[in-house]
Amino acid sequence: MGNYRFGRNICAGLVLALGLHLPAALLPLPAGAQTDAATPETQDVPQPRFLEPETPIAAAIQAAMSPDLPEGLVLYYGERAFAPVWFTQDGLTENAHLAIAAMAAANEHALNPNNYDPLGFIKRSETTVSEQDWARFDLDLSVQFLRYATHLSSGRVQPNAVNKALNLFPDRPDAKSLFENADKAVDFSAFLDSLAPQSDNYARLKRRLAQFREKAAEGGFTQIPDGEVLKPGMTDPRVATLRERLVQEDIPGAADHTGDIYDGALVEAVMTFQEYHGLARDGVIGKNTLARLNIPLQDKLIQMELNMERRRWMRDDLGDFYIFSNLADQNLKVVRNGKTIHTARVVVGKPYHATPVFSDQLEYVEINPYWNVPYSIATKEYLPKLKRNPTALSSKQIRVFQDGNEVTPTQVAWNSYSGGNFPFRLRQDPGDGNALGRIKFMFPNRFNIYIHDTPSKSLFSQAERAFSHGCIRVSNPFKLADILLVDNNKAPGYWQQVRDDGERTVVKPKVPIEVHLTYLTAWMNKDGSTHFRKDIYGRDKVLLEALRTAMTQNL
């Protein structure tokens, strides 16, 4: 391939010749043109330098550049005089071998290796002869490595394009920066490892996925026959099969049980299984528990792979102090400095009022809040009641306002109004019957979603808790207030006293607190427990179809 010498001439016509669309500031100047005097804002900004190729291979790479290449990749090659990235005159570099091997192992991250053609690159490296073919090889490998790095670091598909309820927009790696960082890497293997999410949650799920794949290769999970509801203390021929099934999924305690009586350690193991699957922890094997026990292992593998993708959409660092609510789990936790300091059950939106996924920042806490009834609820649920009985909302302490002034409900001709013609605002007074309870946690957003108390406390005892219009109802909300407002230096119980005083009070936290509403149907905890949740919003199905399309059509 010859020796390579790096010239220092600017290739002024490269970008224009390729027809690439770059910002005006990046286009090379015509010969003899003068620049404006540098300003403090621009004088320190390095301008791109496209260096003239001085070897046949570099010239071949320049000639092979095409308008459909990512702009950052063009800049990277241009600034290195189009020298090859992945080979020398002695053959493929070690980095090329490592990159191809990483792409070949993409399945470890629930990605499709065939999308990056690692075997094709190996074959081409053994058969390519001409400079033109080597040039195409180098550019092709760069493009595929960029795709691999993008998929691994920020997801195979864009979440908001798949589902508009997923308001996540993960940063895609910049091509030029990616390759420059690769050049600077002392340990290229470590650099490859750094492309994947660096969170412990991702690493744990990746490890558990590998373990479950091994179980699938060994035959999967044993199916438990149908039969009567199995309760503790009963004798049943299925007990041995049940014990085997739980051992296969590594449920603690199952292996300690003997005999055909459903009791002791086996009951405890079933209760653990139920906990891991979001079921009522009662030890009774009824219809729902039996159905979860008989989910094929292949389905669980798919569920884990989907959630690997979801983890790639998420930031590694969720903040020093944050609220994390997994909508599929219907639970909330507060994390500070890497430690979970509070957990609570929550009620989330019904499937047809599904709570969206997004992140924001807690701005204030309101005690004894008013409830401004959303327009959709006012027109769809309350207007029909007002048409039948103008005083229907009085017992709920809901007042009617028009143009900022309170109006008497009995003086309104409600039958004259409809969903498209409703000039009123409904507002519920603070109190125990208020739909928001006695406190709400506000992170204003375009979805009008927030966390709040509720007068309907009994719903928190149910295993599945998707009952709201979209907002998140939280159990023990004043304990949550104590946790979130601890930096306001008030004694425990202070906010309950504010509640009992009855006055509407707004409090701002003294430190930044992030809010993350997520949707995860499979994860592995620090204690080694692997959890699966019912796909209450059907988002697994939508994501699976999007991933299958992207992977099979190589989009």
Side-chain angles (χ1 to χ4, degrees):
M1 297 179 190
N3 296 319
Y4 304 138
R5 290 180 291 123
F6 294 86
R8 303 298 296 173
N9 299 319
I10 296 178
C11 181
L14 170 67
V15 175
L16 293 176
L18 292 178
L20 295 175
H21 301 286
L22 293 181
L26 296 183
L27 292 175
L29 293 169
Q34 299 295 316
T35 62
D36 292 333
T39 65
E41 290 79 12
T42 63
Q43 61 185 358
D44 294 329
V45 178
Q47 296 300 307
R49 303 189 68 189
F50 299 109
L51 307 179
E52 194 71 34
E54 294 190 2
T55 68
I57 286 292
I61 290 176
Q62 179 189 10
M65 304 291 281
S66 62
D68 60 347
L69 287 175
E71 293 175 2
L73 197 56
V74 173
L75 292 174
Y76 172 73
Y77 270 98
E79 292 182 4
R80 59 185 278 121
F82 305 97
V85 175
W86 302 106
F87 61 87
T88 68
Q89 60 185 354
D90 297 320
L92 294 189
T93 64
E94 181 182 358
N95 285 2
H97 286 292
L98 291 172
I100 292 171
M103 293 188 291
N107 190 42
E108 295 177 2
H109 293 274
L111 295 172
N112 183 1
N114 292 332
N115 289 163
Y116 318 109
D117 196 25
L119 297 180
F121 284 114
I122 293 174
K123 183 177 180 179
R124 288 171 66 183
S125 72
E126 296 170 347
T127 59
T128 296
V129 175
S130 71
E131 291 168 351
Q132 291 75 19
D133 287 345
W134 273 113
R136 190 71 258 167
F137 175 94
D138 203 77
L139 289 172
D140 288 348
L141 183 51
S142 291
V143 168
Q144 292 298 352
F145 180 70
L146 174 60
R147 294 183 75 221
Y148 169 75
T150 299
H151 295 163
L152 182 57
S153 64
S154 55
R156 187 63 179 80
V157 296
Q158 288 283 13
N160 192 251
V162 171
N163 186 334
K164 295 302 180 184
L166 308 178
N167 296 278
L168 301 171
F169 304 91
D171 293 332
R172 301 304 225 185
D174 171 71
K176 185 170 182 289
S177 298
L178 173 72
F179 281 84
E180 288 175 343
N181 290 333
D183 286 342
K184 297 173 186 176
V186 176
D187 184 339
F188 191 69
S189 291
F191 174 76
L192 291 172
D193 290 340
S194 74
L195 297 175
Q198 298 300 294
S199 70
D200 290 340
N201 290 299
Y202 182 86
R204 286 196 296 266
L205 187 57
K206 176 175 175 283
R207 184 170 66 250
R208 193 57 166 154
L209 175 61
Q211 293 169 350
F212 269 45
R213 283 173 171 170
E214 290 179 1
K215 293 178 184 294
E218 295 168 356
F221 292 158
T222 300
Q223 294 285 295
I224 300 173
D226 288 337
E228 64 178 318
V229 174
L230 186 56
K231 298 179 181 180
M234 293 176 61
T235 299
D236 193 295
R238 297 174 296 167
V239 166
T241 305
L242 172 63
R243 181 169 56 243
E244 178 186 8
R245 167 66 184 83
L246 295 174
V247 168
Q248 289 169 344
E249 198 164 347
D250 305 321
I251 302 299
D256 298 332
H257 181 267
T258 58
D260 59 359
I261 299 176
Y262 178 48
D263 61 1
L266 191 56
V267 173
E268 288 295 324
V270 167
M271 292 171 68
T272 299
F273 175 90
Q274 291 171 327
E275 178 184 340
Y276 290 179
H277 291 75
L279 300 168
R281 199 175 186 276
D282 56 13
V284 176
I285 302 180
K287 179 180 178 181
N288 288 337
T289 298
L290 183 62
R292 298 292 179 90
L293 285 164
N294 283 335
I295 290 176
L297 178 52
Q298 184 62 31
D299 289 359
K300 291 197 167 188
L301 290 176
I302 291 173
Q303 199 169 4
M304 296 169 83
E305 291 170 352
L306 295 177
N307 285 276
M308 292 279 285
E309 175 75 358
R310 290 186 174 119
R311 287 290 182 183
R312 286 191 282 268
W313 299 339
M314 298 169 64
R315 288 162 29 200
D316 289 337
D317 182 2
L318 298 180
D320 295 330
F321 193 4
Y322 62 88
I323 301 168
F324 184 97
S325 182
N326 181 0
L327 306 174
D329 186 31
Q330 296 132 61
N331 275 286
L332 170 153
K333 66 179 180 180
V334 179
V335 178
R336 190 161 195 179
N337 298 325
K339 295 183 178 180
T340 300
I341 57 175
H342 179 69
T343 60
R345 288 189 160 206
V346 298
V347 170
V348 301
K350 304 170 186 177
Y352 47 91
H353 290 298
T355 307
V357 169
F358 66 100
S359 292
D360 214 306
Q361 184 160 313
L362 183 69
E363 291 193 13
Y364 63 91
V365 176
E366 186 173 338
I367 302 170
N368 295 317
Y370 289 113
W371 180 42
N372 292 299
V373 181
Y375 186 87
S376 61
I377 297 177
T379 56
K380 293 179 181 179
E381 298 185 21
Y382 289 159
L383 179 57
K385 295 180 180 180
L386 289 167
K387 287 181 177 181
R388 292 192 297 268
N389 176 10
T391 65
L393 305 184
S394 299
S395 62
K396 297 178 179 291
Q397 285 75 52
I398 295 179
R399 302 173 185 270
V400 181
F401 294 83
Q402 184 177 19
D403 297 327
N405 300 310
E406 186 173 1
V407 298
T408 303
T410 55
Q411 301 301 310
V412 177
W414 293 109
N415 287 318
S416 301
Y417 298 99
S418 65
N421 173 31
F422 191 79
F424 305 100
R425 179 170 63 89
L426 306 185
R427 189 187 76 184
Q428 188 176 34
D429 290 339
D432 289 334
N434 186 286
L436 306 183
R438 303 299 293 272
I439 187 171
K440 64 179 181 178
F441 303 84
M442 297 298 296
F443 37 102
N445 54 80
R446 65 187 178 91
F447 313 105
N448 198 27
I449 297 296
Y450 45 90
I451 299 170
H452 63 86
D453 183 19
T454 175
S456 304
K457 311 291 187 186
S458 62
L459 295 178
F460 293 118
S461 64
Q462 299 198 28
E464 293 185 9
R465 300 179 295 280
F467 300 110
S468 82
H469 285 85
C471 283
I472 297 175
R473 307 173 191 171
V474 63
S475 59
N476 203 356
F478 282 91
K479 176 62 176 176
L480 178 61
D482 286 338
I483 295 290
L484 297 178
L485 300 175
V486 65
D487 295 280
N488 292 59
N489 297 318
K490 301 297 183 182
Y494 175 82
W495 306 114
Q496 288 93 321
Q497 183 59 52
V498 174
R499 172 199 64 194
D500 295 342
D501 290 343
E503 294 295 321
R504 177 177 173 270
T505 304
V506 174
V507 186
K508 293 187 176 182
K510 295 292 185 183
V511 297
I513 302 173
E514 294 195 60
V515 181
H516 303 289
L517 307 186
T518 65
Y519 191 84
L520 299 167
T521 57
W523 69 92
M524 184 179 183
N525 281 340
K526 294 178 182 178
D527 61 6
S529 59
T530 307
H531 292 252
F532 297 90
R533 291 297 181 270
K534 181 180 177 181
D535 180 23
I536 58 172
Y537 294 156
R539 291 174 180 171
D540 278 1
K541 181 180 179 181
V542 173
L543 178 56
L544 177 60
E545 288 302 313
L547 285 173
R548 281 178 171 166
T549 298
M551 290 184 179
T552 57
Q553 298 182 14
N554 202 9
L555 300 178

